[in-house]
Amino acid sequence: MKKRLIKVVLSCIVIVGGLTVNSCSKSSSSKNTSRATGWKINAKEGGFQYNTDFKEQETAPGLVFVEGGTFTKGKVQDDVMHDWNNTPTSQHVQSFYMDETEVTNVMYLEYLDYLKSVYPPENPKYTNIYVGALPDTLVWRNRLGFNETMTNNYLRHPAYAEYPVVGVNWIQATQFAEWRTDRVNEVMLEREGYLSEDAKYQAATGEVQGTFSTEAYLNRPESVYNGQIDSLQGKMKKDSTSAFAKRSSGIIMPEYRLPTETEWEYAAQAQVGQREYNNYRGRKKYPWEGDYTRNGQRVGRGDQLANFKQGKGDYGGIAGWSDDGADITAEVMSYKPNDLGLYDMAGNVAEWVADVYRPIVDDEVSDFNYYRGNIYMKSAIGEDGKVKVLKDSIAFDTLPNGKVIAVNLPGEIKMVPVDEEETYLRTNFSSSDNRGYRDGDPGSSRFYDRFSDDEEQDDKKKMYNSPKHSVARDSAGNLIKGYDSSNNRTTLINDEVRVYKGGSWRDRAYWLDPAQRRYLPQYMATDYIGFRCAMSRVGSKSKTKNKTVRGKKAK
């Protein structure tokens, strides 16, 4: 027995360069042991705490996973408008998540009811928070058409509950996404025991003053719910080392947001599983297979595959025969989804995307997650060295059409543009506002400093010198309109003009092509533009469950 033991021990000794090394030392492969230092992770004694059980990002409410990849962005089909403003480029998109359907009336009403409860509009301080979020129901009116039924009923009547919300401008859509992020993260924290079960309802009903902000919770958790979070913590409060979740906990979801134009177009094309060369090279005309808008399959043959305008005076076809089932918008999920499981990526309503509009998409700028509209911000730091949380101060902005919206809400972190501390000697960005970067305007040129200091002369030289209307309100609340009647203006395009994609119930089939793009000022709304949200994927490109990753079985 002794001889055998000695043999085993000796077999573990290796002589390397004259040094004796024990090759049988215990591997530090344990998930709770650091491979960098050998220290314990998540030890009861204290030390570094980290979520070593994290597998992959959870699919948040309402979303569908979209695996990223390469595709041809741009138009290779019809261009009857002869604008050719989306020339084909090869793009790669990272994996992300997108709403299964457009945001519906009932989803948006939940947002309005929350604002009305937490920030009562009868309080003058809060009035414009609720009013500024209201959709413009007057978009349904037509001087020579009778549409008052939709004006009065479309948003709130239960008959339209699952119809896509319209009358929402781009700014309102982005603010809805921010609100949705906070509400979903409240649910996640409640489920994991960081918040009590009734915390979110107490805030929503006004029992607890203040509300929850994701970024405020991550940076200054003691400020959440107007400083009352101690009384609203869940079972994790018993463990002082993990009373608050952190970003490293893996529980906090990335933010809901509007999809970029590239993401939207990629998701609408739904090239998943596609192996045909023509389709891969951008030859796919619609979100479905084929070059026609009617179903060619045996079941449902001849049915329209989307809700769109079929001809002059024809918004739905002949009743009972060639009807597409809708005259205005249609209830979401009325038509088959595309191959990614996304509904109404063509027809029903067009949709806002995040991008600032420019006629040319420059493939030399970026062929990876292309997006125009970056404004880099950072948290404001107070004299105490901590991030500033806005309590009672609410900033409002008056849009060019006179509508007043809240720029921030109480309890949120104050954000400021990045400055030279972040941009000095950087090669990847040099300023906070990058909306006009390399867009063809002289201001994008390296010789910009050679232009004169005369603003009027510079306006004549600018490619994107759109009208500069201004509006303000006096002490009595009356509008003071500043209409720009200059003859030097040459375009409607500026940094506040956003892209919207997809055809709508008002559009002909031409606009159903995912590559088509149009634009509208971000403060305007219509009866044919809605939106859906997206969320970035963190971690692996694809869902690793039951797959093999780089030759190893995924955990």
Side-chain angles (χ1 to χ4, degrees), residues 285-508:
K285 186 177 178 67
Y286 299 117
W288 52 83
E289 292 302 316
D291 295 329
Y292 304 100
T293 63
R294 292 188 181 274
N295 188 353
Q297 298 178 356
R298 184 173 182 179
V299 178
R301 186 185 299 273
D303 290 347
Q304 289 288 3
L305 295 172
N307 174 23
F308 65 98
K309 184 178 180 180
Q310 298 176 34
K312 186 173 179 60
D314 185 358
Y315 289 85
I318 300 173
W321 177 62
S322 182
D323 194 9
D324 67 6
D327 37 29
I328 53 168
T329 55
E331 186 174 346
V332 296
M333 298 188 179
S334 294
Y335 303 89
K336 290 183 178 180
N338 67 8
D339 289 345
L340 289 172
L342 301 170
Y343 291 85
D344 293 320
M345 295 301 288
N348 215 17
V349 291
E351 299 176 18
W352 288 114
V353 294
D355 294 58
V356 169
Y357 178 84
R358 290 295 187 269
I360 298 174
V361 176
D362 187 355
D363 62 329
E364 294 183 3
V365 174
S366 176
D367 56 4
F368 182 76
N369 289 343
Y370 182 90
Y371 166 65
R372 179 177 292 282
N374 282 312
I375 300 179
Y376 299 124
M377 307 289 284
K378 64 178 181 178
S379 302
I381 306 298
E383 295 179 357
D384 59 357
K386 297 182 179 180
V387 297
K388 286 185 178 180
V389 176
L390 299 166
K391 294 184 178 180
D392 296 324
S393 58
I394 307 172
F396 293 97
D397 187 20
T398 302
L399 303 180
N401 60 357
K403 194 176 184 73
V404 179
I405 60 164
V407 177
N408 66 270
L409 297 176
E412 294 181 344
I413 287 179
K414 182 179 180 180
M415 304 297 292
V416 295
V418 298
D419 53 27
E420 193 174 341
E421 289 187 11
E422 286 77 26
T423 63
Y424 182 62
L425 292 183
R426 282 190 177 272
T427 58
N428 55 334
F429 72 97
S430 58
S431 63
S432 171
D433 190 344
N434 297 274
R435 291 174 295 179
Y437 178 69
R438 283 191 61 173
D439 62 355
D441 191 287
S444 303
S445 167
R446 69 169 117 175
F447 305 114
Y448 180 63
D449 292 338
R450 296 184 185 180
F451 292 97
S452 68
D453 294 329
D454 188 333
E455 184 176 348
E456 184 177 348
Q457 290 299 317
D458 280 350
D459 279 345
K460 293 180 180 179
K461 298 175 183 178
K462 287 181 179 178
M463 181 183 299
Y464 302 111
N465 67 339
S466 60
K468 298 179 179 179
H469 306 308
S470 63
V471 65
R473 291 184 181 270
D474 59 22
S475 58
N478 300 315
L479 283 178
I480 304 174
K481 303 174 184 176
Y483 184 80
D484 186 350
S485 57
S486 171
N487 293 325
N488 296 328
R489 305 307 177 194
T490 59
T491 181
L492 295 176
I493 300 171
N494 57 33
D495 289 342
E496 281 71 48
V497 167
R498 301 287 173 167
V499 178
Y500 68 93
K501 300 281 283 184
S504 74
W505 65 275
R506 278 192 176 274
D507 295 314
R508 300 289 187 94

Side-chain angles (χ1 to χ4, degrees), residues 268-281:
Q269 284 192 19
Q271 300 285 10
V272 58
Q274 209 35 256
R275 292 295 179 267
E276 293 184 23
Y277 177 78
N278 282 341
N279 285 342
Y280 175 74
R281 298 302 299 171

Side-chain angles (χ1 to χ4, degrees), residues 66 71 73 86 93 96-99 101-102 257-270 287 338 340 342-347 349-355 370 499-504 511-518 530-534:
V66 179
F71 82 117
K73 180 182 186 296
N86 196 7
V93 184
F96 62 101
Y97 297 83
M98 182 176 272
D99 266 334
T101 71
E102 297 115 341
R257 54 178 174 79
L258 290 181
T260 66
E261 181 181 1
T262 305
E263 287 174 336
W264 194 97
E265 192 170 320
Y266 176 81
Q269 284 192 19
N338 67 8
L340 289 172
L342 301 170
Y343 291 85
D344 293 320
M345 295 301 288
V349 291
E351 299 176 18
W352 288 114
V353 294
D355 294 58
Y370 182 90
V499 178
Y500 68 93
K501 300 281 283 184
S504 74
W511 295 105
L512 302 185
D513 184 344
Q516 299 294 347
R517 61 200 299 261
R518 290 172 283 181
F531 70 101
R532 72 179 75 210
C533 295

Side-chain angles (χ1 to χ4, degrees), residues 50 60 103 119 142 146 172 186 188 198 204 290 333 337 377 503 524:
Y50 193 76
V103 172
Y119 309 107
N142 185 309
F146 180 71
Q172 291 172 317
E186 275 184 300
M188 297 299 173
D198 58 349
M333 298 188 179
M377 307 289 284
M524 295 183 69

Side-chain angles (χ1 to χ4, degrees), residues 112-269:
L112 293 177
D113 289 342
Y114 183 92
L115 293 181
K116 193 173 185 178
S117 177
V118 177
Y119 309 107
E122 55 269 18
N123 184 336
K125 184 171 65 173
Y126 296 146
T127 299
N128 285 319
I129 293 178
Y130 175 73
V131 174
L134 287 171
D136 183 3
T137 59
L138 301 185
V139 294
W140 287 106
R141 284 183 171 165
N142 185 309
R143 293 182 184 88
L144 296 176
F146 180 71
N147 296 333
E148 288 304 290
T149 300
M150 281 81 79
T151 300
N152 297 326
N153 294 282
Y154 184 81
L155 175 63
R156 299 186 183 277
H157 198 286
Y160 293 115
E162 294 297 336
Y163 284 56
V165 67
V166 297
V168 174
N169 62 41
W170 183 92
I171 298 172
Q172 291 172 317
T174 58
Q175 290 180 338
F176 170 88
E178 292 169 3
W179 167 86
R180 188 177 176 185
T181 300
D182 294 336
R183 304 293 75 76
V184 168
N185 278 326
E186 275 184 300
V187 172
M188 297 299 173
L189 291 171
E190 176 194 304
R191 188 186 69 184
E192 299 300 322
Y194 289 94
L195 288 177
S196 60
E197 294 183 3
D198 58 349
K200 60 182 183 295
Y201 295 113
Q202 289 187 50
T205 57
E207 295 178 42
V208 172
Q209 297 300 311
T211 185
F212 175 89
S213 165
T214 300
E215 289 303 316
Y217 179 85
L218 289 171
N219 289 276
R220 291 193 65 176
E222 72 279 2
S223 70
V224 179
Y225 298 119
N226 202 25
Q228 302 174 69
I229 191 170
D230 284 344
S231 62
L232 298 172
Q233 286 184 267
K235 61 184 179 181
M236 296 298 287
K237 185 178 181 180
K238 298 176 183 178
D239 185 355
S240 59
T241 61
S242 57
F244 300 113
K246 301 178 179 63
R247 207 178 293 275
S248 58
S249 303
I251 296 167
I252 303 294
M253 286 286 182
E255 71 277 3
Y256 283 85
R257 54 178 174 79
L258 290 181
T260 66
E261 181 181 1
T262 305
E263 287 174 336
W264 194 97
E265 192 170 320
Y266 176 81
Q269 284 192 19

